[in-house]
Amino acid sequence: MRPGHLAPLPSPAPSPRPARAALARAALALAALLTALPACRIGAPAQAGAPAPEALRALPDRIDGNTLLGRDAERAALAGAGPLRVLGADMVSDGDRLGAFVEVPARECMLAMARVSPTIGDVDLFAFEDDGSAFSTDEAADARASVLVCPPHPRRLYVMARVMSGAGAVSVGVQSVPVEAAEAVARAVGARGKDDESGRLESWPGLEAKVRAHRGAIGARWEDVRRIALPVGSRTASRIGATLEGGRCLDVLVSPSDEVASLEVVAEDETGRIVARARERGQDRELVLCATVSFELSIAVRSRGTQGLVAVVIGRSQPGAEAEISGATPIERVTEGRELAEVRAAHDRALAGRGYGAPRVSTGAARLGSRTTLPIELPAGCARIDVLAGRPLADVLAELWSDAHALLGRARGGARATLFTCGAGGHARLDVESMAQPGPFAVEVRKEPKAPPALVAHPLAAARLLGRLAAVGLVDASAAAGAQTVALDSARLKILPLQIPANTCAEVIAALDAEGAGVDLRLVDTSTGESSLARARHVVSDSRCAGAAPVPASIELRLAAGKGDALVLTRTSPGAP
């Protein structure tokens, strides 16, 4: 080594820190490379011949409601229903709802159905009115829900299904049903609407027996128009709609469940005015309403304490059945208040062209709690006497007495009470009493164009028979010309033959004269033994129809007490009544 020069020092051994750093840098580089590779593949053009990838897209497909509804819709169609119209179909779960508005023709029924997939265990079906009240429901614990709505019904209903348990597909559909095919369609698909609209009434303790006993005490013939289990509370009233048709009556029975201690039940008109209050019968509430013109009503039910359910059963009478209702049954008469001059003018128009001459007119004022007496001169033969009420008089009772103080006729009505009388004519008196509010009235006496001899011989029975016929629009006494006199006895059964021609209905009306009280009428098909029974105090009626073949039948009459004569009239009409 030369002097003045430093010898280079030997290189030291590499330290471990720089080696670890190098490894880390290499790992980061490799990760970056791996990350970049997919991006390069996505951005790279597809190789020739490779299939194009599928894009995510929404499909316009919908659930086919016909699949769920088709089988039952076909059964309904075979029974007489029209084509199926699907309101909606969707996938739903607990608590979900599906529905739409339906316009129902006034003279037809509507079948509504909800059908679900096997994954849904319970579905309910409702038909709501525009005000939100339930017109018909099927709330049975079942995966199939159906309701049948028949006249009278609202013009428009909202049909809605609600899923109570499970999840899956549901479809809601409707079909039109002619009234004459309603029973067959209901049986074909198990639809509710005639006997139990809700499904909740199936196990209501003793309800059917209660309804039968209740209507048996009222008398007349009734057909169900509503049966529903209605939830009630004390804060607000629960309401259901009801149509009171002119010339008919409605019977409303409200029976509470055990948890409901007390009820208030009223009938309201379209303005919300209370027109009648139900009377108490134990825990139940009862209400009978009659009218000469049609009204749309609401039955409002409120609990006075606890919440719970009530069974509401509404029945509709046959036309003219007010005369057959028991005298012990209070009747609420729904009427429109009009000025007396307006009432008289409308009545003149209604009787125009029916063979009546100019009436003899008397006027007076009816008072509450007392009778206003007017002298009446009766023509020989038969006569019609109308007591017309002017505002505020709205419920009037009229009784006609002979100069020998014998009762010739009795009638009660809202805006009008009509009596008929037959006999030799002469002096009589008419007692008029207000049953609600005092007000003016007019009495119009018109001579009937004809006077059948049987009616002249039995004045009181004639008055009752003609009053029953007038309630269904037959105002001419000649309509009762075929009446026969029948002697009745409570200790004997009176049997009369009856032959009903093919495709014909026969109606039998029996009206008692002054003696005897309570009459039973039984129509018997003598070929099969099938029979029906009707009871009333003074006037009773029933009908039976024949199909393609004539029906041999018999009329059985019996008095409940005493002896007396009755006028019995048989009327026939084509087809079903």
Side-chain angles (χ1 to χ4, degrees):
M1 183 176 61
R2 290 181 297 175
H5 288 272
L6 295 175
L9 297 175
S11 298
S15 67
R17 185 184 300 270
R20 288 195 296 269
L23 289 173
R25 287 193 297 273
L28 291 171
L30 179 61
L33 177 62
L34 293 175
T35 303
L37 285 177
C40 294
R41 285 198 298 271
I42 293 173
Q47 296 180 2
E54 294 185 2
L56 180 68
R57 60 193 177 97
L59 298 177
D61 300 355
R62 294 289 184 268
I63 295 173
D64 185 3
N66 290 280
T67 302
L68 296 173
L69 292 164
R71 183 173 298 178
D72 283 330
E74 183 177 354
R75 291 193 185 101
L78 290 174
L84 172 68
R85 300 181 185 276
V86 178
L87 300 184
D90 207 346
M91 292 291 182
V92 292
S93 60
D94 288 4
D96 287 345
R97 297 168 171 82
L98 180 67
F101 278 107
V102 179
E103 188 176 57
V104 188
R107 298 184 181 274
E108 290 188 3
C109 300
M110 177 195 72
L111 171 67
M113 298 186 294
R115 297 294 183 263
V116 296
S117 61
T119 53
I120 294 178
D122 184 10
V123 63
D124 291 346
L125 187 63
F126 303 84
F128 291 105
E129 300 183 53
D130 280 337
D131 63 359
S133 59
F135 186 80
S136 182
T137 68
D138 182 351
E139 297 177 81
D142 196 350
R144 296 157 52 87
S146 309
V147 297
L148 182 67
V149 174
C150 285
H153 53 64
R155 183 68 174 176
R156 189 172 79 152
L157 291 168
Y158 187 81
V159 177
M160 184 194 78
R162 180 178 64 193
V163 175
M164 303 305 295
S165 67
V170 63
S171 181
V172 182
V174 295
Q175 292 171 265
S176 63
V177 180
V179 173
E180 57 272 17
E183 294 285 355
V185 171
R187 288 194 299 268
V189 300
R192 303 186 188 278
K194 296 296 287 182
D195 298 322
D196 179 0
E197 288 189 353
S198 68
R200 292 178 174 179
L201 299 182
E202 290 175 334
S203 58
W204 199 280
L207 180 62
E208 189 59 37
K210 185 178 293 187
V211 172
R212 289 181 181 275
H214 165 73
R215 290 184 178 166
I218 294 175
R221 290 177 291 155
W222 303 88
E223 59 178 342
D224 278 352
V225 292
R226 299 291 301 274
R227 283 199 182 198
I228 189 170
L230 191 68
V232 295
S234 58
R235 291 177 178 263
T236 59
S238 299
R239 291 177 169 83
I240 58 173
T243 300
L244 176 55
E245 299 178 63
R248 295 181 185 253
C249 300
L250 283 182
D251 168 46
V252 181
L253 174 65
V254 182
S255 182
S257 57
D258 292 339
E259 63 270 19
V260 179
S262 183
L263 285 174
E264 180 186 49
V265 180
V266 300
E268 302 171 343
D269 63 13
E270 291 178 304
T271 67
R273 179 178 64 93
I274 294 176
V275 297
R277 294 184 182 273
R279 65 189 184 279
E280 298 183 2
R281 181 66 62 89
Q283 294 294 102
D284 299 339
R285 299 294 181 267
E286 302 174 352
L287 182 61
V288 176
L289 306 111
C290 299
T292 55
V293 296
S294 297
F295 288 91
E296 293 296 329
L297 302 175
S298 292
I299 307 301
V301 185
R302 185 199 304 267
S303 169
R304 293 194 178 108
T306 56
Q307 296 181 345
L309 287 175
V310 298
V312 182
V313 182
I314 302 178
R316 178 181 61 180
S317 77
Q318 298 295 313
E322 182 178 343
E324 303 175 26
I325 294 176
S326 166
T329 301
I331 298 175
E332 302 291 343
R333 289 165 178 83
V334 184
T335 183
E336 53 183 347
R338 294 185 294 174
E339 299 298 330
L340 183 57
E342 185 180 353
V343 173
R344 290 191 59 197
H347 187 60
D348 285 343
R349 290 192 297 269
L351 295 183
R354 303 208 178 187
Y356 289 112
R360 290 201 292 266
V361 181
S362 304
T363 59
R367 296 184 293 274
L368 188 64
S370 65
R371 297 184 179 95
T372 301
T373 299
L374 295 178
I376 298 290
E377 188 68 26
L378 298 177
C382 294
R384 174 190 178 115
I385 303 171
D386 293 291
V387 181
L388 307 176
R391 184 186 294 149
L393 182 60
D395 189 354
V396 61
L397 171 65
E399 293 179 331
L400 182 66
W401 301 88
S402 71
D403 56 356
H405 313 300
L407 181 66
L408 299 178
R410 185 178 188 273
R412 184 174 172 183
R416 184 188 75 238
T418 300
L419 305 93
F420 291 87
T421 181
C422 296
H427 299 294
R429 82 177 213 190
L430 184 70
D431 292 343
V432 180
E433 180 181 356
S434 169
M435 307 304 293
Q437 299 182 65
F441 67 87
V443 178
E444 298 183 352
V445 181
R446 292 175 171 85
K447 181 178 174 59
E448 286 283 341
K450 296 183 179 180
L455 274 63
V456 174
H458 300 277
L460 186 55
R464 291 166 174 167
L465 179 59
L466 291 175
R468 173 63 175 78
L469 293 175
V472 294
L474 300 174
V475 296
D476 191 338
S478 62
Q484 59 179 312
T485 304
V486 178
L488 300 179
D489 188 336
S490 61
R492 297 184 62 85
L493 188 64
K494 188 69 175 182
I495 301 179
L496 305 174
L498 175 64
Q499 185 72 20
I500 307 175
N503 302 313
T504 301
C505 292
E507 181 185 31
V508 179
I509 306 172
L512 295 182
D513 210 10
E515 297 82 15
V519 57
D520 289 1
L521 169 63
R522 186 168 176 252
L523 298 184
V524 184
D525 183 336
T526 55
S527 63
T528 64
E530 182 183 352
S531 66
S532 59
L533 177 64
R535 293 189 177 98
R537 187 179 182 186
H538 295 128
V539 183
V540 66
S541 71
D542 204 353
S543 62
R544 182 165 287 273
C545 298
V551 172
S554 64
I555 304 169
E556 296 185 1
L557 290 164
R558 185 179 64 182
L559 274 182
K563 298 180 180 181
D565 291 340
L567 290 177
V568 180
L569 175 67
T570 300
R571 301 172 53 238
T572 58
S573 60

